[in-house]
Amino acid sequence: MPASEPPRSRHAPATRSATNAPARTTPTAAAPGRVLVVAPDEHVRRWAALCLQVHGHDVHDTADADAIETAHQNGHDLLLMDPDARAQRGTRHGLDAWQRLRGLRDRCPTLPVIVLQAHGGPTDRTAAFERGADAVIDHPFDPRELRARVARLLNLARFRPTADSPPTPDPQDEPLQVGGWWLNPVTRQLHTPTGLRVQVSEPEMRLLRAFLRAPHSALGRDHLLALVSDGGSGTRDTTADTPDTTLNAASTAARTVDMMVSRLRQKLHDNPQAPRVIQTVRGVGYLFEAGDGPRDC
């Protein structure tokens, strides 16, 4: 952290009329975005705002969790939120923040969301993904990681079609079909051979994309975790790894992927005791069996 206090950023009001909000535009690939930062800790808000403002992003920040649910109405391109209630003892910020995120996802499933978590473990990260996060960053955070995550999610969002412009082709957004399985990455909907339609989160969609691109093939947990964490590249920087960090990373990968697969099986009505769709390959990871698919119970 810098020795001097960063300058105060502009604060977003808790509520703002959608009619007075600037029109939502689709910036060019190199353009910065309009970011809303919601966190109970003022220092976290100001530090995040400074890290993004120096790269041209238009940042608004607030401690009011209610702003999460209306982020899409106020012309924001991305939401950065910290659900940690420990920064304000005696408040319900953490609980309210997750509830507001669910409300936002019901109204706008495509707005990019990054969640900041203090010392979050695999269970916390998975819970954040299940609640609607597109990316999770541990904090205290590295400004370079924050800027890289923001830039990637903004670029992904810009390729989605708007009412005023036709869609721009992107290989990551191409629908995938294997047998009777059909995945639409733009809407995050999976259609099964039996007619079941499943709405999935961004990380779940990345897992399904990996499975559908390699049906009947065993995929390792570390590879699957890289796909979820890095937005589809499937790579991880290992230059600073030591034997201890490698072992810890492998353990984290196993637990995180196991929990995400468990969630997907639940959505697909795939019996975890005898799964027919996402099968466990002991000592390796998982295999997607593109057969007839689950039954709609």
Side-chain angles (χ1 to χ4, degrees):
M1 291 290 177
S4 61
E5 196 73 357
R8 293 187 64 85
S9 62
R10 219 156 22 106
H11 285 255
T15 58
R16 194 162 102 193
S17 171
T19 58
N20 296 329
R24 180 100 183 265
T25 60
T26 303
T28 63
R34 199 161 186 270
V35 180
L36 173 65
V37 179
V38 181
D41 189 313
E42 184 179 9
H43 185 73
V44 171
R45 297 198 308 271
R46 294 170 64 184
W47 177 234
L50 176 63
C51 293
L52 297 175
Q53 284 172 333
V54 295
H55 280 250
H57 295 287
D58 181 13
V59 182
H60 296 243
D61 69 84
T62 179
D64 189 355
D66 288 343
I68 294 172
E69 198 163 359
T70 58
H72 65 297
Q73 297 177 350
N74 295 328
H76 296 107
D77 300 303
L78 183 142
L79 168 66
L80 175 65
M81 59 174 282
D82 177 9
D84 190 0
R86 290 174 293 181
Q88 288 186 344
R89 296 186 182 278
T91 71
R92 290 169 47 86
H93 178 92
L95 178 60
D96 288 345
W98 290 125
Q99 290 176 339
R100 299 297 181 269
L101 179 56
R102 290 186 182 276
L104 171 66
R105 282 301 181 224
D106 289 341
R107 295 167 174 79
C108 183
T110 59
L111 184 73
V113 176
I114 298 177
V115 170
L116 296 175
Q117 286 193 335
H119 312 296
T123 302
D124 298 319
R125 297 175 71 87
T126 302
F129 286 136
E130 291 177 349
R131 289 166 170 167
D134 295 300
V136 179
I137 300 178
D138 294 332
H139 77 79
F141 55 84
D142 184 335
R144 294 169 298 179
E145 180 185 5
L146 175 63
R147 289 193 289 262
R149 294 284 188 180
V150 168
R152 174 160 183 80
L153 288 176
L154 286 176
N155 284 333
L156 287 174
R158 286 165 188 151
F159 286 119
R160 292 195 175 102
T162 67
D164 303 322
S165 62
T168 303
D170 182 352
Q172 297 283 38
D173 284 343
E174 288 293 327
L176 291 174
Q177 184 169 4
V178 176
W181 298 86
W182 188 75
L183 175 67
N184 186 338
V186 175
T187 62
R188 298 177 190 161
Q189 265 202 352
L190 175 69
H191 299 247
T192 74
T194 56
L196 181 67
R197 295 188 180 186
V198 181
Q199 192 71 40
V200 297
S201 66
E202 180 76 20
E204 290 168 346
M205 186 273 294
R206 293 172 189 163
L207 278 181
L208 287 169
R209 186 163 54 198
F211 286 139
L212 289 176
R213 284 177 174 170
H216 317 293
S217 300
L219 301 178
R221 288 180 174 87
D222 55 347
H223 175 63
L224 292 172
L225 181 63
L227 290 171
V228 171
S229 302
D230 299 332
S233 66
T235 60
R236 185 176 67 89
D237 184 4
T238 60
T239 54
D241 281 358
T242 66
D244 287 341
T245 59
T246 300
L247 181 61
N248 291 337
S251 177
T252 298
R255 292 195 301 271
T256 301
V257 172
D258 288 347
M259 285 183 286
M260 294 197 67
V261 167
S262 176
R263 177 65 175 171
L264 269 179
R265 283 173 172 166
Q266 181 181 355
K267 289 187 175 183
L268 294 174
H269 303 161
D270 197 17
N271 184 357
Q273 303 303 320
R276 297 173 50 236
V277 180
I278 305 177
Q279 301 179 3
T280 302
V281 181
R282 295 190 180 278
V284 179
Y286 294 96
L287 175 149
F288 186 84
E289 180 60 48
D292 292 336
R295 297 294 172 184
D296 191 355
C297 303

